[in-house]
Amino acid sequence: MDMNRYSGAQRRSTSSGATRRARRVAGVVASMVLALSVTACTAGGPAPATHAAAAVSAAAPTASAAPVVAATPSPSPSPAWPPAAAAGTPADLAPGSDPSVLPGPIIIADKKNNRLVVVSPQGQVLWQWPQPGDLAAGQTFTIPDDVFFTPDGKDIIATEEDDFVITEIDIATRKIVWRYGTPGTHGSGPNQLWNPDDAMMLPDGTVVAADIKNCRLVDLSSSSPGPLWTLGRLGSCAHNPPARFGSPNGVFPLPDGHFLVTEINGSWVDEIDRTGHVYWSTHLPAVTYPSDSSQYKPGQYLTVGYTNPGQAVIFDASGKALWRWNPSSGAGRLNHPSLAEGLPNGDIMLNDDFNHRVIVIDPTQNKIVWQYGHNGVAGSGPGYLDNPDGIDLVPPHSYANAVGTTQATPGFW
């Protein structure tokens, strides 16, 4: 790994991306400090290993400041997105897959192939990144574990959890235009993260993420060498929101401007706002390792269990399971699924990481209705994946579209 890629002071200083980003982030309008109690890490026990977190040694708390609030982004040309595959183009789906269950193509963070790939509902590869010439001298792109489109649909935010960085890629130019974190080096200081997860851009142009092993949530911007806003206590990975979080591995925006936080330690999910107000917090029964919870529909939430066998669960704010997928054997058995998203038709799309596939489950029929990847077989050719660890629908059906972050409402998130 090249440890000299993009320091915090250098990133995007000379790129056209900096200008575009500056339009997104207009400036700070207010600031505040959240006084968080200094306590030792107690409840919850140690966190699991990677894709999870471990309690880290106690450290000084991070000051929390109000987020940057931006003006509406200026219009710019749409990216040259690949068209649908021509009729007759070879496709690679598992037998019995129904392409109509997907509203459009999906993007996959194909972790161990070190790539992002866009696949049509019919199973054709429409786009891959990086390709030769996409990375500048000294840049690398390794082990991407999550990927989401920005609210304007023109960029991609990819989290490289085990390389400790978050990367923004301009779709039209195919170039990295912003990066936060020091590749290959974890920490909690300026331009440092420790196993970041599920980074997403908000309407104000900032990027919110869970910083797992730093036990905190962060909001990042190219205008600042450190987080604009944090919640949690460094070195204290235990459930006590908002002062502490038990190894948080997801902070997903909700349509009402709140966030859904998933805590690995103790299996908790919390709804909070940016001030740290906790609206509810629930323990997920029979889920030992929750991952990346999100809203399925109003009042219903979706999580997966990152275990073998794994599971997908729809639950309510009280923690009651409304639906569960957890076959212990056969083709339906999941092996460390890490993310599930609800589709417009009510089906559930998820990446089944260690089975090397992305699938769609129909919860009314309780059956897999679509699959890309060969169950239990890793590869890099057409129809193959190697530990796919992140997914999103291509706009206009992306998570940003579904949750409403495409509407620029300064201060709402």
Side-chain angles (χ1 to χ4, degrees):
M1 300 178 185
D2 182 351
M3 307 304 178
N4 296 315
R5 291 179 293 168
Y6 283 136
S7 69
Q10 293 171 332
R11 64 185 184 278
R12 302 182 68 182
S13 61
T14 60
S15 70
S16 60
T19 301
R20 176 163 52 82
R21 186 87 172 179
R23 289 199 302 267
R24 287 179 176 156
V25 184
V28 177
V29 297
S31 63
M32 65 181 179
V33 175
L34 299 179
L36 303 179
S37 60
V38 181
T39 54
C41 183
T42 54
T50 292
H51 213 97
V56 294
S57 58
T62 302
S64 301
V68 166
V69 178
T72 303
S74 300
S76 59
S78 297
W81 197 248
T89 302
D92 294 277
L93 291 178
S97 294
D98 179 5
S100 71
V101 301
L102 287 172
I106 63 172
I107 189 168
I108 303 169
D110 194 11
K111 184 173 184 176
K112 291 192 176 179
N113 281 323
N114 298 321
R115 67 180 180 180
L116 308 177
V117 59
V118 173
V119 175
S120 75
Q122 293 74 29
Q124 297 107 346
V125 174
L126 303 179
W127 183 88
Q128 291 189 67
W129 191 93
Q131 299 279 34
D134 290 345
L135 297 174
Q139 289 181 342
T140 60
F141 184 73
T142 60
I143 46 180
D145 71 292
D146 282 295
V147 59
F148 294 97
F149 287 93
T150 58
D152 62 12
K154 296 170 184 174
D155 290 20
I156 293 165
I157 304 295
T159 311
E160 298 164 75
E161 179 182 334
D162 296 323
D163 204 24
F164 316 116
V165 294
I166 295 168
T167 299
E168 181 181 356
I169 301 121
D170 184 293
I171 297 168
T173 66
R174 302 181 61 94
K175 299 300 181 184
I176 293 175
V177 292
W178 174 72
R179 175 166 275 168
Y180 190 96
T182 305
T185 302
H186 62 73
S188 59
N191 200 40
Q192 289 186 324
L193 299 166
W194 196 345
N195 288 89
D197 210 357
D198 294 301
M200 297 184 207
M201 183 176 284
L202 302 180
D204 61 9
T206 64
V207 173
V208 66
D211 192 12
I212 300 178
K213 291 185 182 178
N214 279 327
C215 319
R216 64 181 181 175
L217 313 178
V218 296
D219 193 21
L220 310 168
S221 170
S222 60
S223 67
S224 173
L228 300 173
W229 167 90
T230 70
L231 281 177
R233 176 66 55 181
L234 286 173
S236 187
C237 278
H239 170 71
N240 185 25
R244 295 183 294 171
F245 293 94
S247 305
N249 75 349
V251 51
F252 279 61
L254 294 171
D256 59 3
H258 299 168
F259 299 93
L260 202 65
V261 179
T262 307
E263 300 179 70
I264 300 166
N265 291 358
S267 189
W268 292 92
V269 176
D270 323 298
E271 181 179 343
I272 68 169
D273 64 21
R274 210 164 198 168
T275 70
H277 180 78
V278 179
Y279 293 86
W280 55 265
S281 182
T282 191
H283 174 74
L284 296 177
V287 180
T288 58
Y289 190 152
S291 182
D292 300 354
S293 306
S294 62
Q295 180 174 290
Y296 176 65
K297 60 177 63 174
Q300 297 184 19
Y301 308 93
L302 177 62
T303 197
V304 291
Y306 188 73
T307 52
N308 184 26
Q311 59 180 311
V313 183
I314 298 173
F315 63 98
D316 64 18
S318 73
K320 179 183 177 181
L322 307 176
W323 172 86
R324 193 185 301 267
W325 175 278
N326 62 343
S328 59
S329 61
R333 177 181 174 130
L334 306 177
N335 190 349
H336 290 84
S338 62
L339 171 65
E341 289 186 27
L343 297 176
N345 64 359
D347 288 351
I348 295 167
M349 174 177 68
L350 63 84
N351 41 261
D352 189 11
D353 298 28
F354 288 14
N355 276 333
H356 313 295
R357 62 179 178 170
V358 173
I359 62 175
V360 175
I361 300 170
D362 182 336
T364 61
Q365 300 183 68
N366 280 312
K367 64 181 290 188
I368 296 174
V369 293
W370 187 91
Q371 176 178 311
Y372 184 84
H374 293 251
N375 193 3
V377 182
S380 59
Y384 286 86
L385 300 167
D386 192 349
N387 200 345
D389 203 13
I391 45 175
D392 197 12
L393 287 164
V394 169
H397 306 289
S398 67
Y399 186 81
N401 288 101
V403 79
T405 57
T406 54
Q407 303 301 313
T409 51
F412 189 57
W413 274 274

